[in-house]
Amino acid sequence: PSSPRLGSSSSNLLGLQEGVQTEAPVFEEAAASTPNVWSWAASLVSLGAALGLAFGIYAAEPARAITAEQFSQLTYQQVKGSGLANRCPTVESSGTSIPVKPGSRLKNVCFEPKSFAVEFDTDKGKEFATTKLTTRQTYTLAFIEGSLEPNPITFTEQDGMDFAATTVKLPDGQYVPFLFTVKELVAKGEGSEFKPGFTWGGEFSVPSYRTGGFLDPKGRGMYLGYDQAVALPAAQSDGAEGQDELFKETNKVFDIGKGAIEMEVNKVNADLGEIGGVFVSKQPSDTDMGAKAPRTILLK
């Protein structure tokens, strides 16, 4: 979707060519003829959204985030290879609050994680380990939109690029894939306006990392491929131990998990209709279509 009221000069970003074309989150009132524009700030644990929340989190050497106005001035060729396409817009503070009216919409929401931790078992119990991101710069969620209502402020996610296949590497070398997402998010917070310090959150659905058409290395899938990839006599011989694991590997399922997110607004731009803040999200990892127990992923 296009982003009206966006425009200004771009800046030199870490020696990269100036420019990028993107769209800033927009906050629309139901009866308004011209939508307001919103973008999201990215800080240590960041989110970005233009009353269409754009949230952020990041990993390796990022390009410096720029405002939605600057994004709107850049071309595809200027953005290509710069790293900016994976960044959520930042926001410049102006004003103290932004009221939310009934029938509004939150547009161009962007989530950009900057840290990824995975829960694992230790001698002291369960702990979270810092991981290394192995996915290239394609893990940001963007252009998310949905309905927005006041008292309490309630955002219901409905559309957009709301999932990204991501993989991280644990200190012991093990890879953990997961589907970073906020699908079907319903976030609520008390009040009728966005202002610094406003907190809100809710739960969302986490679809399977892989779909039914995926085939494992032995050619087994949910509705394609082989039904069985182990010799039947050998599979029947033990009758008990080992059968559960074999059954899970053979009988693929499309798991749908649940995640939760908490967000806090720390910047607002009343002139442009932009808000910025931070978030913390927790969700399950991939289950290899039911063959493995999911791990808990913590994103900030």
Side-chain angles (χ1 to χ4, degrees), residues 25-39:
V26 176
F27 174 69
E28 283 189 314
E29 295 181 9
S33 58
T34 302
N36 289 324
V37 179
W38 297 83
S39 76

Side-chain angles (χ1 to χ4, degrees), residues 40-43 45-48 55-56 264-267 275-279:
W40 265 91
S43 55
V45 177
S46 29
L47 17 154
F55 298 77
E264 180 178 352
V265 174
N266 57 26
K267 292 182 181 180
I275 56 177
V278 298
F279 79 91

Side-chain angles (χ1 to χ4, degrees), residues 175-204:
Y175 291 93
V176 180
F178 65 97
L179 194 72
F180 174 39
T181 184
V182 290
K183 275 187 175 294
E184 301 175 349
L185 168 66
V186 178
K188 296 182 179 182
E190 293 300 323
S192 60
E193 62 181 11
F194 287 108
K195 58 185 178 180
F198 175 78
T199 59
W200 55 334
E203 294 187 341
F204 54 88

Side-chain angles (χ1 to χ4, degrees), residues 5-266:
R5 297 186 56 199
L6 293 182
S8 93
S9 61
S10 58
S11 60
N12 189 291
L13 303 175
L14 300 180
L16 300 173
Q17 186 178 13
E18 296 181 11
V20 182
Q21 181 147 6
T22 103
E23 297 150 279
V26 176
F27 174 69
E28 283 189 314
E29 295 181 9
S33 58
T34 302
N36 289 324
V37 179
W38 297 83
S39 76
W40 265 91
S43 55
L44 200 67
V45 177
S46 29
L47 17 154
L51 250 181
L53 284 163
F55 298 77
I57 272 197
Y58 199 52
E61 292 297 324
R64 188 179 64 190
I66 61 177
T67 66
E69 289 182 315
Q70 292 170 326
F71 269 128
S72 69
Q73 298 298 304
L74 306 177
T75 67
Y76 171 80
Q77 289 299 327
Q78 289 175 314
V79 178
K80 184 179 179 181
S82 69
L84 287 168
N86 194 54
R87 298 304 310 270
C88 290
T90 188
V91 65
E92 297 178 349
S93 295
S94 176
T96 58
S97 66
I98 299 172
V100 176
K101 297 182 179 180
S104 300
R105 287 189 68 79
L106 195 58
K107 287 193 172 183
N108 293 340
V109 179
C110 175
F111 292 84
E112 182 194 355
K114 292 184 177 177
S115 72
F116 304 80
V118 177
E119 189 178 47
F120 69 106
D121 294 319
T122 68
D123 295 337
K124 300 179 181 179
K126 292 185 179 295
E127 296 182 2
F128 281 93
T130 301
T131 63
K132 177 183 178 181
L133 180 69
T134 60
T135 301
R136 293 192 176 187
Q137 296 182 25
T138 57
Y139 54 84
T140 294
L141 309 183
F143 310 113
I144 295 170
E145 64 177 272
S147 62
L148 190 66
E149 299 291 342
N151 297 316
I153 288 181
T154 303
F155 170 63
T156 304
E157 191 269 344
Q158 296 171 333
D159 196 9
M161 297 171 61
D162 54 9
F163 68 92
T166 310
T167 301
V168 294
K169 186 178 181 181
L170 289 169
D172 64 2
Q174 182 178 357
Y175 291 93
V176 180
F178 65 97
L179 194 72
F180 174 39
T181 184
V182 290
K183 275 187 175 294
E184 301 175 349
L185 168 66
V186 178
K188 296 182 179 182
E190 293 300 323
S192 60
E193 62 181 11
F194 287 108
K195 58 185 178 180
F198 175 78
T199 59
W200 55 334
E203 294 187 341
F204 54 88
S205 297
V206 183
S208 174
Y209 180 81
R210 296 186 175 95
T211 59
F214 174 80
L215 299 180
D216 69 12
K218 294 185 178 181
R220 298 170 297 193
M222 192 168 91
Y223 56 76
L224 294 176
Y226 298 112
D227 291 331
Q228 180 64 261
V230 179
L232 292 178
Q236 297 168 353
S237 62
D238 93 1
E241 295 182 6
Q243 295 304 297
D244 287 343
E245 182 176 350
L246 178 61
F247 179 83
K248 291 178 181 178
E249 290 183 354
T250 301
N251 295 273
K252 309 295 186 182
V253 295
F254 188 90
D255 287 324
I256 298 180
K258 280 292 183 182
I261 188 170
E262 290 292 332
M263 302 170 282
E264 180 178 352
V265 174
N266 57 26

